Amino acid sequence: MYYYRYGETVFASLLPDLPLEAAAGASVPPPEEPDGSVLSAVLALPEKYRLPVHLFYYEGYSIQEAAAILGRREGTVRAQLTRARAMLRDRLEAERT
């Protein structure tokens, strides 16, 4: 199974194994982080939250496109992004204290 996005082919079967390091060439580059704490926090997320985060923030897909790629409803992807942000916020705040 594959999807097209602006002339690119994305193979859905590869998404679970897609490393975040592949985001280096993404259209929306990840923010600079000297200590790597955000990346390590994202990598520590459960897969059901990590994949929408990767597609939305690192690859630059819209919520609608990410939902189509993942085979989930848009509302589900929105909720997973909200929960992932809360998890990341809690984890990063815990690391700072």
Side-chain angles (χ1 to χ4, degrees):
M1 176 189 276
Y2 55 90
Y3 300 91
Y4 288 99
R5 177 182 183 261
Y6 307 116
E8 301 171 333
T9 303
V10 177
F11 294 93
S13 61
L14 299 178
L15 287 176
D17 299 322
L18 188 65
L20 287 177
E21 292 77 16
S27 59
V28 177
E32 293 295 321
E33 69 173 296
D35 62 352
S37 60
V38 174
L39 180 60
S40 63
V42 169
L43 291 173
L45 288 172
E47 184 175 302
K48 77 182 224 178
Y49 300 112
R50 187 176 60 244
L51 291 176
V53 166
H54 175 76
L55 290 172
F56 186 73
Y57 290 106
Y58 288 86
E59 294 291 333
Y61 288 99
S62 69
I63 290 175
Q64 296 81 10
E65 292 169 326
I69 290 169
L70 296 170
R72 301 174 188 166
R73 294 180 180 199
E74 289 178 31
T76 301
V77 172
R78 265 192 201 91
Q80 289 171 336
L81 287 170
T82 300
R83 289 184 190 120
R85 283 190 295 266
M87 291 173 161
L88 291 170
R89 182 174 32 254
D90 293 345
R91 181 179 179 105
L92 294 171
E93 286 175 358
E95 287 180 4
R96 286 186 182 22
T97 59

